[in-house]
Amino acid sequence: MIYETGAGVVKDKLNVHLVAHTHDDVGWLKTVDQYYVGSNNSIQGACVQNVLDSMVPALLRDKNRKFIYVEQAFFQRWWRDQSEATQTIVKGFVSSGQLELINGGWCMHDEAAPHYIDMIDQTTYGHKFIKQQFNVTPRIGWQIDPFGHSAVQAYLLGAEVGFDSLFFGRIDYQDRAKRKADKHLEVIWRASKSLGSSSQIFAGAFPENYEPPSGFYFEVNDDSNIVQDDVNLFDYNVQERVNDFVAAAVSQANITRSNHVMWTMGTDFKYQYAESWFRNMDKLIHYVNKDGRVNALYSTPSIYTDAKYAETDSWPLKEEDYFPYASDINAYWTGYFTSRPGLKGYVRMLSGYYLAARQLEVLKGRNKAGPTTDSLADALGIAQHHDGVSGTSQQHVANDYAKRLAIGHKEAEAVVAESLAGMVSSKSVHGSSATHFQQCPLLNISYCPPTEADLSSGKKLVVVVYNSLGWKRSDVIRLPVVSENIAVYDSSGKQVESQLLPVVKDSIALRNYYATAYTGKSPSSTPKFTLAFTASVPPLGFSTYTIQSTKKPASNFVKQALYKHTGIGKGDVEVGTGNLKLIYSKSEGKLSQYVNSQRSIEASVSQSYLYYAGFDGTTGLQASGAYIFRPNGSYSIDSQEQNITVLRGPIYEEVHQKINPWIYQITRVYKNKEHAEVEFTVGPIPIKDRVGKEIVTQITTNIKSNKKFYTDSNGRDFLERIRDYRTDWNLEVNQRVAGNYYPINLGMYLKDDKSELSLLVDRSIGGSSIVDGQLELMLHRRLLYDDGKGVAEALNETVCVGDDCRGLAVQGKYYLRIDPVGEGAKWRRSYGQEIYSPLLLAFTEQDGNEGTNFQVSTFTGMDPSYSLPDNVALLTLQELEDGRVLLRLAHLYEVGEDKDLSVLTSVELKKLFAKRKITKLSEMSLSANQGRVEMEKKRLVWKAEGSKDDETAPPRGGPVDPLKLVVELAPMEIRTFIVTVSKTLSRRLVSPDLSLHSL
């Protein structure tokens, strides 16, 4: 029988848009490759290859059928295996609209744990592939599965990439109930205070999740009734199925504005036999339209969006975000903000490294024969998946993410080493160099073979320090060394101040265990000291330092003094030699005061640890697990030793506290910085009592915060949070702690009318303010029961070296500062960039006593008199395959955030690209797949209810004059350009020490 499937939209009828889709996790219960090829099916019967293979003949069978596909990490695997004939067919599908490549990122990224730069990068990576192969630009956001939705997703990864709408499945159960009742599931989402209506987007939450209505699943072996329309066979059911269809459509229409509803016909890894779905949808469209009560059609989210736009003048306004997400009364999906903090830390470290490596690839010139940074781009793209960096995959999959990252990191290290070798060499930067640079990816655990070498034989260690930021910076370098008889010299041969601190026994044991776990062999040496010195590095450039052996410590070298307290007696211990001083109570061995003489701050402050016991779920109640945070009481972790050890030196001072056998903390106060750095080591978390534990640190002050605190959105905007309150509905408080947790990527702060307390973090974690005046961060979690949300494993991470298996220990940092009210944003923004982009270190040994044998020992990629404004960050500097350069510049401040820096600013491209002539400059969309002007012209302009027709959008930077080449940036604006530069590379010595290449 031939079915009539060509129905379009019918005016004045209820239109049911059937959107055939598959949701393919880029790793979850199986690895990305196992999902693709369909192996390891004892865990989950899923094969993406089958989905895409069966899609082709199914679409060929009927030109009216439509299908959407999302995850480019899978699609490109499939694409490169196809014959030219199949590729031609698929290009025809895309061109005709039968196949819509939607969202278009490498994965469907998480929205809590990724940094906004990673979100941009992985989306750009996928969009580039789609543009190259099909010459199309995705126009719909499809974030159907992440567990809560961020403001940055709506305005940056929605409007700013040119999307006309954004659809998702998961919002809080209380929020969903109210929105269904009010017909507010579909809204105009205006998520940026700074960019306002210029970056709003039409956003739709599905009525339940991202699956079809009950009874309309048609995968082979699904239990829904198929449409049986052969009267010669038993079980004929056409009218029954049509009635079911109409009833489900009308039910959905009752909670939706306009005469259009979308049915998401598919779910996880469906369409492995696509014909099973399409055969039944063909019949439903045919018989439902014959029935005439409603109109059914094959559709896509683009068609649905256009229909919505045509029918309704204005939509409800939504601001802020959709965090936290609860699926029912005790199921707050806020545990995953911290799950797998080791993986989260690794992703963040490599994100900053990837940014720097791409810059160096530009500065030297991309090596088409390799190595390149592409492998790291792929691994980081995959890791942003909503079961990747989120920490919600099975353990073997988390291991696979880490393995891919390690492989990508190794190749990027080769790019960095090759680039630096060319840049310090007297040869052309494209030539080869004999200099061999090593790097230390395990420096976080004080393992660095190059710095642990014995220099007593007359060798010297040269350290190249690269700064990927657009402004000059000075920072303290800390390196493990074996000898105390060493000194540090800058590139002019002048000795620089340094200090040695003894390496703590506890950290050596941790170092040896984890170095062996990661490298497969035991370290060959044991460092006795940490050498520290201050490096000063120009913007987008490097400085070099040499470490040499001395007969005895140099005269200006100050060794550490050990200062130990036993808890006996009264008085205070003062730590810090600069403006900032931390005061510790001698009797309790705890932090008691924060004093900044420069800013007239004298605040009472304390820090403590506690753990939340995880609900075990054994009585049928919701357990705490990889996704869910469900505390079963909180328990103080008191320091078992009230001793504090203070190490004093000219550059910084350290306070060591062994809180208990599995928590060790070092607090550093730097002479030239006005914040405290807290390095924590937590783990292995003990579980002999069979209680899972979620470890939290709390900072308590006298600030009268009145239930309010502020957390970042993916490292970008800060959103106001009010404890036990939601803007969009009257919150019924069931989980007082878990329901007030939010994702933290950059930091959080609270304030009153006098002062503000800020915390910045080195990776994404969860945090809150459960008590006025107090901020808390969840640092680590180890749980013994599955939370029943699909991962089917307890979050119980272990590491093994041979037969020695232990719970995972996590080392990380957070940073604390108190400012007069209104003055904290500058530190949060500028130092936040320094945390994201730490100085990159490379090491090489050389012979001789004086200086280095480098031709170029100090370098900047800019005009040496220029640096970027304090409120601008260089997000992307990347050489593309065709030699052009991808450039992204970001304004770091929101409107009204800082009295001096929340203003229109500008960047002089001629000085940024100092010695190469810019021959063409094209402004692009955020993901660089279309011209910005072209994108703005075709984007749908939506109206929010209550908005006035003459409402003016906030200002943005104006067009770039092709002669002046000055880029303006308004608060929170990110501008993306493709830059064509002259091929010739000018090179000259600006001073004996400063060589200037161009970009």
Side-chain angles (χ1 to χ4, degrees):
M1 178 174 175
I2 297 173
Y3 299 104
E4 178 50 59
T5 59
V9 168
V10 176
K11 195 169 175 57
D12 299 326
K13 256 193 184 181
L14 174 59
N15 291 274
V16 183
H17 295 249
L18 301 184
V19 175
H21 81 104
T22 179
H23 174 61
D24 297 341
D25 291 301
V26 182
W28 178 37
L29 308 183
K30 306 199 296 188
T31 70
V32 58
D33 287 351
Q34 289 169 352
Y35 272 133
Y36 176 65
V37 299
S39 60
N40 213 355
N41 276 350
S42 61
I43 293 179
Q44 185 181 13
C47 175
V48 174
Q49 205 169 12
N50 287 349
V51 173
L52 293 168
D53 281 346
S54 72
M55 171 266 296
V56 175
L59 294 185
L60 278 173
R61 197 161 287 172
D62 183 344
K63 70 179 187 333
N64 296 313
R65 292 174 173 179
K66 291 179 172 58
F67 190 66
I68 65 171
Y69 198 77
V70 176
E71 297 85 2
Q72 294 308 304
F74 285 129
F75 195 84
Q76 62 87 23
R77 280 165 166 74
W78 179 79
W79 182 254
R80 68 188 179 215
D81 286 343
Q82 301 313 301
S83 66
E84 194 175 327
T86 300
Q87 288 186 351
T88 300
I89 291 168
V90 174
K91 284 179 178 178
F93 291 156
V94 173
S95 177
S96 69
Q98 264 194 285
L99 173 63
E100 183 170 352
L101 298 173
I102 196 170
N103 220 30
W106 216 234
C107 68
M108 185 185 295
H109 55 224
D110 183 46
E111 295 184 41
H115 193 276
Y116 76 95
I117 294 178
D118 288 326
M119 297 164 85
I120 294 169
D121 282 343
Q122 81 88 18
T123 303
T124 300
Y125 201 53
H127 283 191
K128 181 175 79 169
F129 171 80
I130 295 171
K131 187 73 173 177
Q132 286 173 342
Q133 298 299 326
F134 302 101
N135 195 31
V136 296
T137 56
R139 57 174 290 227
I140 308 293
W142 191 254
Q143 289 288 112
I144 59 175
D145 196 25
F147 330 120
H149 304 284
S150 75
V152 156
Q153 177 63 40
Y155 85 87
L156 263 190
L157 281 306
E160 293 292 306
V161 295
F163 290 165
D164 282 320
S165 59
L166 168 63
F167 296 98
F168 42 86
R170 299 183 188 273
I171 63 172
D172 185 279
Y173 73 102
Q174 294 182 48
D175 191 12
R176 191 191 303 272
K178 186 171 191 306
R179 289 185 181 281
K180 286 164 82 166
D182 296 344
K183 293 191 176 183
H184 280 196
L185 283 170
E186 294 174 323
V187 296
I188 302 305
W189 191 358
R190 190 177 293 172
S192 169
K193 296 190 296 286
S194 300
L195 299 177
S197 60
S198 71
S199 64
Q200 67 190 20
I201 192 167
F202 178 79
F206 301 137
E208 296 306 329
N209 208 333
Y210 53 87
E211 304 181 339
S214 178
F216 291 91
Y217 294 76
F218 298 120
E219 191 75 18
V220 174
N221 296 330
D222 276 340
D223 57 7
S224 297
N225 288 332
I226 63 162
V227 182
Q228 207 296 78
D229 62 341
D230 188 338
V231 293
N232 297 314
L233 304 178
F234 290 166
D235 303 323
Y236 178 86
N237 65 357
V238 168
Q239 195 57 49
E240 178 188 334
R241 293 270 60 198
V242 168
N243 290 343
D244 292 341
F245 187 101
V246 172
V250 170
S251 174
Q252 189 167 334
N254 288 336
I255 56 170
T256 308
R257 295 189 179 198
S258 85
N259 283 331
H260 297 273
V261 295
M262 185 197 302
W263 281 17
T264 46
M265 299 300 291
T267 181
D268 295 9
F269 300 100
K270 298 297 186 180
Y271 290 78
Q272 293 189 69
Y273 177 52
E275 190 59 30
S276 178
W277 283 87
F278 282 113
R279 182 193 302 127
N280 283 280
M281 285 190 288
D282 286 351
K283 294 177 182 180
L284 285 170
I285 291 169
H286 178 85
Y287 291 114
V288 163
N289 292 345
K290 207 170 174 183
D291 173 86
R293 285 175 285 172
V294 302
N295 180 57
L297 67 151
Y298 277 122
S299 189
T300 67
S302 290
I303 295 170
Y304 177 77
T305 297
D306 289 339
K308 287 280 183 175
Y309 184 75
E311 280 214 358
T312 305
D313 286 340
S314 62
W315 297 85
L317 180 66
K318 159 72 183 172
E319 295 178 314
E320 301 173 337
D321 64 0
Y322 288 90
F323 280 119
Y325 162 59
S327 54
D328 57 54
I329 189 168
N330 290 314
Y332 275 91
W333 298 50
T334 55
Y336 83 97
F337 300 160
T338 302
S339 295
R340 301 196 188 279
L343 178 63
K344 284 177 162 70
Y346 194 34
V347 168
R348 176 61 55 83
M349 184 270 281
L350 289 181
S351 175
Y353 189 87
Y354 177 51
L355 181 149
R358 283 179 292 169
Q359 291 179 358
L360 286 163
E361 202 169 26
V362 168
L363 293 169
K364 176 188 176 293
R366 182 181 170 96
N367 185 344
K368 290 182 180 175
T372 71
T373 55
D374 293 350
S375 178
L376 184 54
D378 175 80
L380 276 168
I382 286 170
Q384 305 312 317
H385 171 61
H386 59 267
D387 289 303
V389 68
S390 60
T392 54
S393 66
Q394 288 199 352
Q395 183 64 56
H396 76 106
V397 180
N399 295 344
D400 186 72
Y401 288 127
K403 179 180 179 180
R404 291 173 186 279
L405 290 166
I407 291 168
H409 187 192
K410 196 164 185 64
E411 187 172 351
E413 277 189 314
V415 172
V416 167
E418 192 179 271
S419 297
L420 288 175
M423 291 161 68
V424 302
S425 163
S426 60
K427 301 171 185 173
S428 156
V429 289
H430 294 278
S432 60
S433 169
T435 305
H436 174 65
F437 282 107
Q438 290 179 271
Q439 292 155 74
C440 289
L442 299 181
L443 197 54
N444 66 312
I445 57 169
S446 299
Y447 177 66
C448 184
T451 70
E452 295 166 29
D454 182 1
L455 301 177
S456 60
S457 61
K459 295 261 186 192
K460 62 178 181 252
L461 180 70
V462 182
V463 187
V464 174
V465 184
Y466 179 72
N467 171 23
S468 59
L469 296 182
W471 56 74
K472 181 181 178 180
R473 66 192 283 196
S474 293
D475 216 341
V476 175
I477 307 294
R478 304 174 62 254
L479 303 171
V481 294
V482 293
S483 169
E484 62 183 303
N485 296 328
I486 52 177
V488 182
Y489 302 86
D490 66 16
S491 57
S492 67
K494 181 183 174 185
Q495 187 173 343
V496 299
E497 186 175 54
S498 62
Q499 72 183 52
L500 284 178
L501 293 89
V503 173
V504 182
K505 273 191 263 182
D506 297 72
S507 71
I508 286 293
L510 197 73
R511 164 196 185 270
N512 291 344
Y513 182 81
Y514 278 90
T516 304
Y518 292 137
T519 65
K521 58 186 180 185
S522 300
S524 56
S525 64
T526 300
K528 296 176 183 173
F529 305 96
T530 297
L531 169 70
F533 63 94
T534 301
S536 183
V537 195
L540 204 66
F542 63 75
S543 297
T544 53
Y545 293 85
T546 56
I547 301 170
Q548 292 178 233
S549 177
T550 57
K551 293 264 174 35
K552 59 181 182 178
S555 58
N556 71 340
F557 180 75
V558 181
K559 292 178 67 175
Q560 83 291 338
L562 209 59
Y563 188 31
K564 195 164 182 177
H565 293 272
T566 59
I568 299 168
K570 297 179 180 178
D572 293 327
V573 180
E574 187 179 278
V575 180
T577 60
N579 292 332
L580 175 62
K581 305 224 172 4
L582 298 184
I583 313 298
Y584 287 77
S585 157
K586 189 184 282 189
S587 58
E588 294 184 349
K590 291 181 179 177
L591 178 64
S592 63
Q593 271 192 306
Y594 177 106
V595 179
N596 186 328
S597 54
Q598 175 77 12
R599 295 175 181 271
S600 302
I601 294 282
E602 192 167 325
S604 171
V605 61
S606 63
Q607 185 236 352
S608 58
Y609 284 92
L610 62 82
Y611 73 84
Y612 294 108
F615 250 99
D616 62 16
T618 53
T619 56
L621 298 174
Q622 174 64 58
S624 215
Y627 302 92
I628 306 299
F629 176 29
R630 174 92 191 277
N632 187 13
S634 62
Y635 300 86
S636 173
I637 301 173
D638 288 320
S639 176
Q640 295 177 358
E641 298 177 16
Q642 290 189 338
N643 300 341
I644 60 171
T645 304
V646 181
L647 280 65
R648 302 193 183 275
I651 298 172
Y652 66 90
E653 300 193 342
E654 280 187 349
V655 180
H656 288 245
Q657 294 168 278
K658 188 168 185 177
I659 309 299
N660 65 16
W662 48 275
I663 300 180
Y664 195 94
Q665 177 174 293
I666 302 171
T667 304
R668 298 187 182 97
V669 182
Y670 295 89
K671 181 180 180 181
N672 296 320
K673 295 186 187 296
E674 295 182 15
H675 66 263
E677 172 186 297
V678 182
E679 180 177 284
F680 59 86
T681 303
V682 177
I685 299 171
I687 52 170
K688 284 186 179 176
D689 57 3
R690 301 302 300 158
V691 175
K693 299 175 183 68
E694 324 207 28
I695 313 305
V696 161
T697 188
Q698 294 178 331
I699 308 295
T700 305
T701 67
N702 292 328
I703 292 173
K704 297 175 177 62
S705 51
N706 192 27
K707 295 188 175 182
K708 293 181 181 178
F709 58 108
Y710 302 81
T711 69
D712 69 89
S713 177
N714 303 110
R716 194 103 179 106
D717 305 65
F718 277 93
L719 304 184
E720 182 181 85
R721 311 299 191 182
I722 302 175
R723 193 162 55 249
D724 295 334
Y725 175 80
R726 302 291 187 268
T727 308
D728 296 333
W729 76 96
N730 293 324
L731 175 70
E732 183 181 323
V733 180
N734 301 305
Q735 285 291 323
R736 190 183 64 84
V737 177
N740 286 300
Y741 252 69
Y742 292 88
I744 314 294
N745 261 283
L746 168 60
M748 62 192 307
Y749 68 97
L750 48 75
K751 64 181 181 178
D752 60 15
D753 58 357
K754 292 178 183 173
S755 56
E756 54 188 273
L757 164 69
S758 303
L759 297 181
L760 300 180
V761 297
D762 69 346
R763 71 198 68 195
S764 64
I765 54 177
S768 188
S769 175
I770 304 299
V771 175
D772 281 356
Q774 183 184 83
L775 293 176
E776 72 173 55
L777 299 172
M778 187 183 290
L779 305 178
H780 196 3
R781 56 201 312 254
R782 187 182 189 187
L783 299 160
L784 304 178
Y785 297 90
D786 176 50
D787 56 18
K789 301 303 177 188
V791 77
E793 269 186 6
L795 184 70
N796 181 8
E797 295 183 274
T798 56
V799 178
C800 294
V801 174
D803 296 329
D804 181 5
C805 293
R806 309 175 186 176
L808 178 71
V810 168
Q811 189 172 82
K813 293 177 184 175
Y814 65 90
Y815 308 83
L816 178 156
R817 178 160 158 152
I818 300 176
D819 284 288
V821 67
E823 296 182 18
K826 184 165 181 15
W827 177 70
R828 290 191 294 270
R829 293 301 183 184
S830 60
Y831 198 70
Q833 289 302 113
E834 295 190 19
I835 296 168
Y836 177 81
S837 287
L839 293 171
L840 187 155
L841 308 179
F843 309 92
T844 188
E845 270 192 17
Q846 292 183 357
D847 293 316
N849 295 321
E850 298 298 327
T852 73
N853 60 15
F854 295 161
Q855 175 75 16
V856 181
S857 54
T858 303
F859 164 88
T860 176
M862 299 184 185
D863 183 309
S865 65
Y866 187 68
S867 67
L868 292 185
D870 290 345
N871 47 10
V872 174
L874 177 62
L875 297 193
T876 311
L877 188 68
Q878 177 179 3
E879 185 174 332
L880 304 174
E881 288 88 343
D882 59 8
R884 294 183 300 166
V885 174
L886 175 61
L887 170 71
R888 273 193 200 91
L889 297 164
H891 197 303
L892 290 173
Y893 288 77
E894 297 178 64
V895 166
E897 191 174 19
D898 184 89
K899 65 182 188 301
D900 301 316
L901 294 166
S902 293
V903 294
L904 190 72
T905 189
S906 60
V907 173
E908 298 180 54
L909 295 188
K910 288 179 181 178
K911 291 184 177 178
L912 179 60
F913 288 74
K915 290 297 170 186
R916 272 162 83 177
K917 187 178 179 186
I918 296 173
T919 58
K920 187 179 179 185
L921 185 75
S922 304
E923 181 160 15
M924 309 298 287
S925 65
L926 185 68
S927 61
N929 65 345
Q930 56 189 315
R932 177 87 197 186
V933 171
E934 169 199 353
M935 179 194 90
E936 295 287 3
K937 278 181 184 171
K938 68 183 185 183
R939 266 195 77 220
L940 300 181
V941 179
W942 299 87
K943 187 177 177 184
E945 287 177 351
S947 297
K948 299 184 179 75
D949 289 334
D950 60 352
E951 187 174 77
T952 55
R956 287 182 180 252
V960 180
D961 184 307
L963 295 177
K964 293 179 181 176
L965 292 173
V966 174
V967 175
E968 294 178 331
L969 292 150
M972 277 289 110
E973 189 173 20
I974 298 177
R975 298 183 73 175
T976 303
F977 300 91
I978 299 287
V979 186
T980 306
V981 290
S982 58
K983 299 295 181 189
T984 55
L985 181 67
S986 301
R987 180 176 180 144
R988 63 187 175 92
L989 290 178
V990 176
S991 72
D993 236 0
L994 183 68
S995 169
L996 183 70
H997 303 298
S998 75
L999 297 168

